[in-house]
Amino acid sequence: AQSGGAAEDFLSRAQAAVLLYELSGQPEYAIPYRQYGQSYDEDTWYSQAMGWAVTNKILAGDGKTAAAEAPLTRQQLAAALQHWAKRLGAPYQVEERQEMTGVSLWALDAASWAEAAEIMPLMADGSFNGEGRVTGSDLADILVRFSRAIYRDR
């Protein structure tokens, strides 16, 4: 995946990092992304954004790499948005963890928060579809919902 593309194309983790980084005002970060063991070219279109996202725990890797080119899943996005909300000083905790289908245990709190805050609704079948891939139009809709949820009480 590369930057840009059609609204219905699936996004990579790098594309999501770039968008969140841009929306955050391109803040500086201290720890280089290369610490996560992935081959690193400081001139990639996503290096600054991915460095910021990993350093600030917006996107986590698998302990070996940041998996920048991997597809972005719904549960990864829920976790990223929950971490971003925390950094923004917004409500990010779940009052009551919900029973959910279609989400990995590590992402359950984030998925519960995203669903309860009306940021990421459940699918038509009632599942969260955590392994489902995210398109550009999905992300645009989710970011509008995120903004409404984050700034609702401010």
Side-chain angles (χ1 to χ4, degrees), residues 94-129:
V94 178
E95 289 183 26
E96 186 174 320
R97 194 154 118 175
Q98 303 176 38
E99 291 288 326
M100 283 193 154
T101 59
V103 64
S104 299
L105 186 58
W106 65 265
L108 191 54
D109 282 341
S112 293
W113 167 80
E115 198 275 328
E118 300 177 357
I119 296 169
M120 296 178 73
L122 299 177
M123 307 306 287
D125 67 0
S127 75
F128 188 77
N129 189 25

Side-chain angles (χ1 to χ4, degrees), residues 138-150:
D138 292 336
L139 184 57
D141 180 55
I142 290 166
L143 287 175
V144 167
R145 291 170 181 265
F146 176 82
S147 293
R148 287 180 184 150
I150 295 304

Side-chain angles (χ1 to χ4, degrees), residues 72-96:
L72 178 69
T73 65
R74 284 178 49 87
Q75 61 193 7
Q76 291 169 349
L77 179 57
L81 293 176
Q82 186 181 40
H83 292 297
W84 194 31
K86 181 179 180 180
R87 288 201 51 79
L88 293 172
Y92 66 93
Q93 294 179 318
V94 178
E95 289 183 26
E96 186 174 320

